[in-house]
Amino acid sequence: MALRKLFGLLLLASCLLQTVALTELQSLCVGANQTYLGSSCYVLHGTPRVTYSRAKVACEDYLGYKGHLYHIRNAVIKNTTHQFILSNGLTASDMNVWTSFEQYDANGARNAGWGFAERDGTVTPASYVPWGWNGGGWEPVGPTSHTRAPYAPYYFGLNDAPGEGMGNMPFICEYEEANKHIVTNLEKSCAALNRYHTYANKKCYVMHAELLAYSAAKVACTDVLNYNGHLVHPRSNEQLNILNNFMLAAGPVSEIYIGVEQTNLTAADSKTIGWYYTTPSKSNEQATFLPWTPTEPDGGTGSNNVIYISGSRSFSDVPATKARAFVCVYDDIMYSLKVSNSVSQSSSFSQIAQTSNASLAKCTRDCRINQACSSFAYSLSTSTCQLLASSSSSGNFSLAASFIMYTRQSP
Ligand SMILES: *[C@@H]1O[C@H](CO)[C@@H](O)[C@H](O)[C@H]1NC(C)=O
Ligand SMILES: *[C@@H]1O[C@H](CO)[C@@H](O)[C@H](O)[C@H]1NC(C)=O
Ligand SMILES: *[C@@H]1O[C@H](CO)[C@@H](O)[C@H](O)[C@H]1NC(C)=O
Ligand SMILES: *[C@@H]1O[C@H](CO)[C@@H](O)[C@H](O)[C@H]1NC(C)=O
Ligand SMILES: *[C@@H]1O[C@H](CO)[C@@H](O)[C@H](O)[C@H]1NC(C)=O
Ligand SMILES: [Ca+2]
């Protein structure tokens, strides 16, 4: 009897020992509208239904996992999510659920050039693309404009479709263990914004669909408290994809202002020189990514800024007066500090803020979240923090005794 009891206890103990610890994502991923498979959590968004571009930036159920529309990587994922869709009551009349499939190259065959698109603007070529059978033939049967592919339970596979023209649809978001990262204040603030936004590669991009003249747009990037934003500086095709998606989501919007300006008017109409990345406080970094429309720039010296045009993914120079939509960006600034005592250079800084009774850590944080701050001076003896912006002309700052300068290394 006693032995049996002991055996029972041992059995109980071994059962308890076999209980493996759940990951954070596994413990969150419960309920009928979520399912955990492999190392991903899939979350079904049945309502509200949205267009593709809106769904693409809506995967924010769990921050810190680089959420994206779901990738159908193999037959197991396809079958499991198929059952998951049906078990949530979506029926044949809900013929499509947005996936991450985009045709990144529509020049070849209809069924070639498809990949997994994410909110950071990347598209990773996919080798498994499970087209559905629609009764009339195997998909994709649409025209070249059908560059998106929702999953159609009714076809037991993908259906090529236009992103916006297809209308509002449910969508599945995917959160991967492998993408887990520390959630920053900027990522949290970004997710809380009401405008179309996306947090990608330590930047928060925000679509402003309201129309403003350039000078007003340039100082309107104030979405995120304590982070000095600026008009977006597109430097890659991936960033153009982010902008393009916003322009579809918010509109369609056909033109946006970006933070590239022709500040050197001597170089009028040059495709390469005279163009600078500008912020409200800085204008000395030469622009290097300038995908002009072939006939642009053509505005002469009267047109001192640049717009980006949707669809063509190319730049045009235009006068600053017309009111246009614009995109703001906020940086999650990661930088290392360099101590410097180079008093000789200190006159090229302007003091933008001073705090007393601040620790060195607080001073560092304050500089970090202030994009105008390029350096700071700190006095340990008086606990005084002075934030400094670099100044193209002679600044008003001089380094006082007992202060040490700290310089931001990047960006
Ligand atoms: C999933 O279901 C829960 C419980 O009904 C609900 O609170 C939540 O909003 C749903 N999530 C989504 C993304 O629809
Ligand atoms: C997926 O489902 C189909 C249809 O039910 C079945 O033929 C196939 O074997 C399944 N594949 C896997 C990997 O489960
Ligand atoms: C402005 O453009 C002119 C003409 O190309 C060039 O010679 C000059 O160096 C440029 N000035 C600056 C400050 O870039
Ligand atoms: C120094 O210059 C900055 C920027 O021009 C200005 O905001 C600040 O008030 C000035 N500070 C002093 C002490 O003059
Ligand atoms: C200085 O900061 C400390 C710690 O935050 C606080 O307790 C103290 O009251 C502050 N002193 C002044 C003069 O602000
Ligand atoms: Ca032009």
Side-chain angles (χ1 to χ4, degrees), residues 213-410:
Y214 194 80
S215 55
K218 193 174 171 181
V219 294
C221 291
T222 56
D223 301 279
V224 191
L225 191 68
N226 290 331
Y227 287 78
N228 289 346
H230 57 81
L231 291 176
V232 66
H233 298 160
R235 293 166 198 254
S236 68
N237 286 320
E238 285 72 27
Q239 284 176 312
L240 294 187
N241 288 343
I242 295 175
L243 305 187
N244 216 37
N245 193 71
F246 276 166
M247 293 165 82
L248 291 169
V253 166
S254 60
E255 301 175 344
I256 53 166
Y257 277 129
I258 59 175
V260 178
E261 286 180 59
Q262 187 178 30
T263 57
N264 180 356
L265 297 181
T266 317
D269 290 356
S270 165
K271 282 189 190 288
T272 52
I273 58 170
W275 301 91
Y276 289 85
Y277 296 119
T278 62
T279 72
S281 62
K282 199 171 143 240
S283 61
N284 59 1
E285 187 189 354
Q286 187 155 10
T288 47
F289 181 74
L290 293 165
W292 294 109
T293 294
T295 52
E296 301 282 347
D298 64 357
T301 52
S303 308
N304 67 343
N305 26 72
V306 157
I307 55 162
Y308 165 75
I309 300 181
S310 171
S312 70
R313 286 180 161 71
S314 60
F315 290 4
S316 293
D317 67 328
V318 288
T321 43
K322 186 178 163 186
R324 294 188 167 89
F326 54 101
V327 171
C328 292
V329 70
Y330 304 84
D331 284 297
D332 223 349
I333 302 156
M334 301 298 169
Y335 71 107
S336 56
L337 289 172
K338 190 176 113 189
V339 179
S340 104
N341 288 307
S342 50
V343 191
S344 59
Q345 284 172 13
S346 64
S347 62
S348 57
F349 291 98
S350 278
Q351 186 176 317
I352 48 174
Q354 171 163 314
T355 340
S356 49
N357 197 25
S359 64
L360 178 60
K362 180 176 174 2
C363 196
T364 307
R365 274 199 305 276
D366 287 353
C367 183
R368 181 172 176 265
I369 61 171
N370 188 330
Q371 281 183 33
C373 179
S374 62
S375 297
F376 63 86
Y378 184 74
S379 164
L380 193 61
S381 57
T382 63
S383 297
T384 305
C385 169
Q386 297 171 333
L387 301 190
L388 311 173
S390 43
S391 175
S392 42
S393 52
S394 56
N396 60 19
F397 175 73
S398 59
L399 192 67
S402 95
F403 280 78
I404 292 175
M405 272 188 70
Y406 295 80
T407 307
R408 174 178 276 178
Q409 296 297 287
S410 69

Side-chain angles (χ1 to χ4, degrees), residues 95-113:
M95 281 218 316
N96 294 268
V97 178
W98 292 125
T99 70
S100 71
F101 281 105
E102 283 188 18
Q103 190 178 30
Y104 55 87
D105 179 5
N107 295 319
R110 284 299 301 134
N111 62 0

Side-chain angles (χ1 to χ4, degrees), residues 75-76 79 156:
V76 173
N79 285 9
F156 206 71

Side-chain angles (χ1 to χ4, degrees), residues 157-174:
L158 299 171
N159 165 30
D160 67 323
E164 308 308 287
M166 187 75 178
N168 297 330
M169 226 91 72
F171 56 101
I172 293 177
C173 292
E174 179 180 354

